[in-house]
Amino acid sequence: MINTSLALTYLYLLMYILLSSGVILYNKWVLSPKYFNFPFPITLTMVHMGFSGVVAFFLVRVFKVVAPVKMTFEIYATCVIPISAFFASSLWFGNTAYLHISVAFIQMLKALMPVATFVMAVACGTDKLRCDVFLNMLLVSVGVVVSSYGEIHFNIIGTLYQVTGIFAEALRLVLTQVLLQKKGLTLNPITSLYYIAPCSFMFLFIPWYMLEQPQMDISRIQFNFWIFFSNAICALALNFSIFLVIGRTGAVTIRVAGVLKDWILIALSTVIFPESAITGLNIIGYAIALVGVVMYNYLKIKDIRASQPASPERITERVAKDWKFEKKSSDIYVPNDDSKTGGGGGGSNSASEMIVDEEAPLITSSRLSHIGRTHNPHPV
């Protein structure tokens, strides 16, 4: 007899892997001059943000799927606006990288995410500089350098765009922890879109007007409504697939799925985009980086357990608290129902784990991930 709950969990994980990979490949296809030839990454990102913001508005205000949080002008000005600015920047730089470097190489560069997050966390005072973690970060960096050295079509501009986007996303994560947690505010993926997508859209409008709008010749632009609509739907579906997955699996499971997705994506990109050829040195460098990421993950989980008494129940409670959001007004909202529902999460079905996926339109969290690799971001 097949366990229905387990089968559903694997189905959600499969959806997440397929959608996350699909969004990246779709974005590359749309932006690449060799394929759909729409070389306007800011415009594409604005389409995603506008569409996501509209859908989130209907889900929150019209259909009342989730309840809005208590948002004041002070919180919006001091938290939402700066977070939105860095989120918009991470999407802008990350999507622009598609114009210059291959999907496979972009995924390898994204292994730098834990390094960027650690550096930003130390700089902002939310983490301490430790020798063991520093050595892991050094190993990850060495792996990425080796992978870059083995890149056949290395492009310094595309690499700088991608790395800048990674650090912008890392700073967004740190600001999310520092600013939102300080205010006692938690956002799930839907309320994140509701508050931050419109603000990110406005931030993107400025570079769009200065950089892309003057170059947009309507007679030469290949605009296809169904292409852009389906692309935005895929990005939004990825966001919601994460919403489904986080309620049924642990953060470690999701990160393992993310690593599996990266390897699948690297392999698929070389088939779909023949110019994305990879070398043995690419693979060796990426493998070295992943070893560093795994070691970093192990240290973080070990730290969580070491900070608690030996009682297994206390350890389990602490880990669960670290991986889960507290139930707040931004959780799933069931009108006129004061009883506990029996969905996958049992008595706390509204709890959501913090995960970050760089391909989702927006995943905002109240905690930094203890699992190093994202991702941003990154790009939509």
Side-chain angles (χ1 to χ4, degrees), residues 160-326:
L160 288 176
Y161 268 121
Q162 183 59 46
V163 172
T164 304
I166 288 172
F167 274 88
E169 172 66 6
L171 187 53
R172 180 189 73 86
L173 289 175
V174 175
L175 287 178
T176 299
Q177 181 191 32
V178 172
L179 299 178
L180 293 186
Q181 251 187 315
K182 185 178 179 180
K183 302 292 184 179
L185 185 69
T186 60
L187 298 174
N188 63 38
I190 297 176
T191 50
S192 294
L193 289 170
Y194 176 71
Y195 291 108
I196 299 182
C199 190
S200 296
F201 181 92
M202 295 308 299
F203 274 110
L204 288 167
F205 180 82
I206 299 172
W208 173 81
Y209 185 79
M210 297 176 62
L211 300 176
E212 292 191 358
Q213 190 272 338
Q215 301 178 23
M216 298 181 76
D217 185 345
I218 301 299
S219 63
R220 294 183 180 181
I221 292 178
Q222 186 178 182
F223 186 85
N224 185 311
F225 171 80
W226 293 110
I227 292 291
F228 288 94
F229 180 71
S230 61
N231 184 259
I233 284 286
C234 288
L236 190 63
L238 171 60
N239 207 10
F240 292 150
S241 74
I242 294 173
F243 202 21
L244 294 173
V245 168
I246 58 181
R248 305 187 68 91
T249 64
V252 174
T253 303
I254 297 173
R255 296 304 168 184
V256 171
V259 172
L260 176 62
K261 179 263 296 183
D262 289 340
W263 283 106
I264 293 174
L265 188 54
I266 289 173
L268 275 178
S269 66
T270 60
V271 175
I272 298 174
F273 306 110
E275 68 275 13
S276 300
I278 57 177
T279 65
L281 205 54
N282 281 144
I283 298 299
I284 292 173
Y286 188 52
I288 292 173
L290 285 185
V291 169
V293 171
V294 170
M295 292 173 64
Y296 173 75
N297 295 343
Y298 171 75
L299 284 175
K300 285 298 181 181
I301 295 173
K302 184 179 177 181
D303 288 344
I304 295 173
R305 294 177 176 174
S307 64
Q308 291 298 307
S311 169
E313 293 180 359
R314 293 295 301 276
I315 293 175
T316 303
E317 180 183 348
R318 170 60 188 273
V319 173
K321 184 178 179 180
D322 239 31
W323 292 125
K324 303 283 184 179
F325 287 138
E326 295 178 3

Side-chain angles (χ1 to χ4, degrees), residues 55-68 188 190 240 243 329-335:
V55 171
F57 175 83
F58 277 95
L59 291 176
V60 173
R61 291 298 182 184
V62 179
F63 300 108
K64 300 185 184 301
V65 175
V66 297
N188 63 38
I190 297 176
F240 292 150
F243 202 21
S329 61
S330 60
D331 291 331
I332 288 295
Y333 175 64
V334 183

Side-chain angles (χ1 to χ4, degrees), residues 115 118-119 128-141 296 299:
V115 178
F118 178 68
V119 169
K128 296 181 179 179
L129 185 61
R130 292 167 41 187
C131 182
D132 53 355
V133 176
F134 176 77
L135 290 176
N136 284 335
M137 298 300 95
L138 187 61
L139 183 62
V140 173
S141 302
Y296 173 75
L299 284 175

Side-chain angles (χ1 to χ4, degrees), residues 79-94:
C79 297
V80 173
I81 289 180
I83 290 171
S84 299
F86 283 104
F87 178 66
S89 299
S90 69
L91 295 179
W92 168 20
F93 294 128

